[in-house]
Amino acid sequence: MSVTASPPAVRSFCITRSAKIVSRPRVVMAVRSNTISAASILTKLQKDCATPLPVLRHVSDAMADDMRAGLATEDGSDLKMILSYVDALPTGNEKGLFYALDLGGTNFRVLRVQLGGKEERVISTEFEQVSIPPELMFGTSEELFDFIASGLAKFAQKEGGKFHLQQGRTRETGFTFSFPVKQTSIDSGILIKWTKGFAVSGTAGKDVVACLNEAMKRQELDMRVSALVNDAVGTLAGARYWDDDVMVAVILGTGTNACYVERIDAIPKLQGPSSKSGRTIVNTEWGAFSNGLPLTEFDREMDAESINPHEQIFEKTISGMYLGEIVRRVLLRMAEGAELFGHSVPEELLMPFALRTPDICAMQQDTSKDLEEVGLILYDVVGVNSCTNARKVVIDVCDTIAKRGGRLAGAGIVGILQKMEHNSKGLIFGKRTVVAMDGGLYEHYPQYRRYLQEAVTELLGPEISRNIVIEHSKDGSGIGAALLAATNSKYGHDF
Ligand code: BGC
């Protein structure tokens, strides 16, 4: 089948949908052959996606091994194990006005927060979200950074009310940049590569803070980037502000990643002065993990046709950008080869990324007898007319892909915890340890969340898993970046 690769749909994760059927011109293609049944395609899919305990155990062990290899040498593993230069986490004493800028998906967010120290904590926050025009995801570096700097400048102009900049100070911001960056200091870092469907020219190999600084200069915006952080790192910092037991943060949204608190003496590749605290946050970039994953022909085809073939395989198996697309590919096979939706295949079903993860999530929430909502979504999104039996098959496909994703994400989390426990016996499994979770996929997909938790419990057993708290930390990464801007302020800590 030849399909034109179009910009992936990485729109925001929203599960509500109007029940109104949209009338549309329909172009249908004739079904090519009818040699296999949808049931047999489903059975094979379920077999190929299965994640029984031995598979989970293999993934968690391999994740821990890859982490060790990535900490030993640069390029020692699929996992980059990037040093974040965040050696001190927020304590609650931070005070003053700080900004955060968050670029990581199809939206970028700007935020300001007035911090009031231990007593008053977060006095006030304000944020705005702007969606990035799709053409900028494929444009030049300058265009993208000009767009975000101008959004930030407009937002800064509206400052007032409860927000006060201390006299004589320059505004400071944390910059959450959710792509793999080789940090060179807390406020600089080189983009290794774009992920999540971004293909902006001229940024890879450059310092992204310098790119932002130049764009802010062009906008005549006087603001200093005091911390460059990945969204996982921002989430850890934001969650830690409220809870000292937070040791790991995981993002499950359009893309995926995890970071954790590591002991300096467990990082052989670290050269130069070590941190005062003896610890630092390591950004695993686990989206690049690939060892022993249960993959199907649909995953392989999707990967081959992607803009980054052979890269980010864990991300392509478990994250929000891809789950809907894998389901679409399975349904297309069922429509073409097994007449799942009758004698023709709607053109829309041929469109890469036409079915999004929020769609498959919304379909899975339909508990009605006739699966009416499933029928509406199939019609509305991919132009498919379906009978109840076909809808049941669709739900089984969605569930198979969500289950594999959730369980593998759970195995990845256990891999990180195992690695940490190995270094510090009893300090992870023997006490309350919190894993802070963020991202639309985790937040809005209840079945996915449940599968993730089940895998963690299966792997750790009931006793240890009682100590491991996996909890949602909503929008922690924005506040986290602002908090890290405070911790790393050029004015030091007068708190
Ligand atoms: C990026 C990570 C990011 C994650 C979640 C991945 O594609 O490589 O840096 O943390 O998405 O946003």
Side-chain angles (χ1 to χ4, degrees):
M1 182 186 58
S2 106
V3 278
T4 354
S6 71
V10 278
R11 285 156 272 165
S12 66
F13 206 107
C14 148
I15 59 167
T16 49
R17 171 175 297 281
S18 134
K20 221 173 105 224
I21 291 179
V22 181
S23 69
R24 54 177 67 239
R26 314 283 301 282
V27 186
V28 286
M29 319 264 293
V31 165
R32 280 202 240 139
S33 63
N34 185 13
T35 49
I36 31 170
S37 70
S40 64
I41 299 175
L42 177 63
T43 307
K44 175 152 188 340
L45 180 77
Q46 286 168 333
K47 189 167 155 269
D48 292 348
C49 288
T51 49
L53 196 54
V55 170
L56 292 182
R57 190 143 345 263
H58 173 85
V59 167
S60 60
D61 290 349
M63 183 69 77
D65 287 347
D66 277 12
M67 289 170 69
R68 280 185 205 100
L71 290 173
T73 51
E74 289 299 345
D75 302 321
S77 139
D78 281 348
L79 268 58
K80 291 252 169 300
M81 304 300 284
I82 295 169
L83 306 175
S84 66
Y85 289 83
V86 174
D87 302 336
L89 283 160
T91 58
N93 290 323
E94 297 75 11
K95 272 189 184 163
L97 169 65
F98 294 92
Y99 277 76
L101 172 64
D102 192 336
L103 176 71
T106 41
N107 296 315
F108 90 93
R109 292 200 322 155
V110 282
L111 169 147
R112 66 182 138 246
V113 53
Q114 188 75 37
L115 299 167
K118 268 263 160 11
E119 294 298 305
E120 293 177 283
R121 291 276 172 154
V122 174
I123 297 172
S124 203
T125 52
E126 245 170 20
F127 77 92
E128 271 175 22
Q129 183 160 300
V130 186
S131 59
I132 299 181
E135 63 273 16
L136 286 189
M137 291 167 64
F138 297 87
T140 66
S141 191
E142 238 178 53
E143 283 162 356
L144 177 67
F145 280 94
D146 276 348
F147 182 77
I148 56 182
S150 107
L152 181 59
K154 282 186 204 134
F155 180 66
Q157 272 164 16
K158 294 183 217 155
E159 182 186 295
K162 292 187 178 147
F163 301 93
H164 307 286
L165 184 70
Q166 220 169 304
Q167 230 182 356
R169 288 193 172 194
T170 304
R171 283 179 184 75
E172 291 182 290
T173 187
F175 181 17
T176 308
F177 185 76
S178 308
F179 300 92
V181 160
K182 179 165 174 28
Q183 296 249 175
T184 36
S185 69
I186 183 65
D187 58 3
S188 62
I190 313 280
L191 175 66
I192 300 171
K193 61 178 182 189
W194 289 106
T195 56
K196 297 178 280 198
F198 275 68
V200 176
S201 61
T203 327
K206 289 224 180 100
D207 176 3
V208 292
V209 174
C211 294
L212 178 61
N213 280 336
E214 285 156 20
M216 290 198 295
K217 218 165 164 189
R218 288 193 288 272
Q219 296 293 327
E220 297 179 4
L221 171 64
D222 187 21
M223 199 178 282
R224 176 179 177 270
V225 178
S226 5
L228 169 66
V229 294
N230 179 269
D231 52 352
V233 176
T235 299
L236 201 155
R240 183 64 168 253
Y241 183 66
W242 302 106
D243 186 340
D244 286 343
D245 291 339
V246 176
M247 298 296 278
V248 181
V250 174
I251 304 289
L252 285 163
T254 304
T256 184
N257 196 7
C259 71
Y260 70 106
V261 180
E262 183 56 286
R263 283 176 17 188
I264 290 290
D265 59 12
I267 314 179
K269 73 177 175 185
L270 180 69
Q271 282 152 8
S274 69
S275 82
K276 278 198 221 116
S277 65
R279 290 166 168 225
T280 191
I281 297 182
V282 174
N283 166 13
T284 65
E285 284 295 335
W286 81 358
F289 176 78
S290 63
N291 193 332
L293 297 174
L295 300 179
T296 67
E297 56 194 302
F298 304 102
D299 300 299
R300 293 196 183 91
E301 283 168 14
M302 179 180 73
D303 176 47
E305 288 171 25
S306 71
I307 55 172
N308 53 350
H310 311 303
E311 287 179 6
Q312 301 293 103
I313 302 299
F314 196 44
E315 179 159 281
K316 286 173 179 160
T317 319
I318 72 168
S319 87
M321 179 161 163
Y322 303 98
L323 301 189
E325 170 61 5
I326 302 168
V327 170
R328 183 197 66 84
R329 284 172 179 269
V330 179
L331 297 187
L332 180 60
R333 175 72 51 85
M334 290 176 162
E336 285 182 337
E339 296 194 2
L340 181 65
F341 305 118
H343 298 307
S344 54
V345 181
E347 182 102 311
E348 290 93 325
L349 196 57
L350 292 162
M351 287 294 296
F353 294 93
L355 193 66
R356 304 166 311 140
T357 303
D359 300 320
I360 68 165
C361 170
M363 290 197 279
Q364 273 204 265
Q365 310 319 309
D366 186 353
T367 50
S368 68
K369 199 160 142 272
D370 298 338
L371 298 173
E372 208 181 305
E373 179 70 11
V374 175
L376 284 172
I377 294 170
L378 288 173
Y379 185 85
D380 192 1
V381 177
V382 281
V384 150
N385 274 314
S386 55
C387 63
T388 308
N389 279 345
R391 293 174 195 167
K392 283 190 183 140
V393 173
V394 171
I395 291 298
D396 285 341
V397 173
C398 296
D399 191 58
T400 305
I401 300 304
K403 182 174 185 179
R404 179 184 65 167
R407 286 174 67 81
L408 290 175
I413 292 174
V414 171
I416 294 184
L417 294 170
Q418 271 171 205
K419 156 75 181 73
M420 296 170 83
E421 170 72 12
H422 188 81
N423 285 2
S424 326
K425 288 264 170 313
L427 288 184
I428 297 298
F429 290 160
K431 62 171 246 325
R432 180 176 180 271
T433 296
V434 177
V435 181
M437 309 290 297
D438 202 6
L441 177 60
Y442 184 80
E443 185 180 353
H444 297 297
Y445 206 149
Q447 286 85 355
Y448 185 99
R449 241 180 2 244
R450 203 186 64 231
Y451 288 133
L452 184 154
Q453 180 64 62
E454 278 171 9
V456 171
T457 311
E458 267 173 53
L459 278 164
L460 294 179
E463 206 174 307
I464 293 177
S465 51
R466 260 194 292 278
N467 284 340
I468 306 300
V469 182
I470 298 182
E471 94 194 345
H472 183 216
S473 155
K474 188 162 172 52
D475 296 331
S477 80
I479 297 263
L483 286 165
L484 290 171
T487 319
N488 295 285
S489 164
K490 78 165 172 180
Y491 302 105
H493 309 262
D494 52 358
F495 30 82

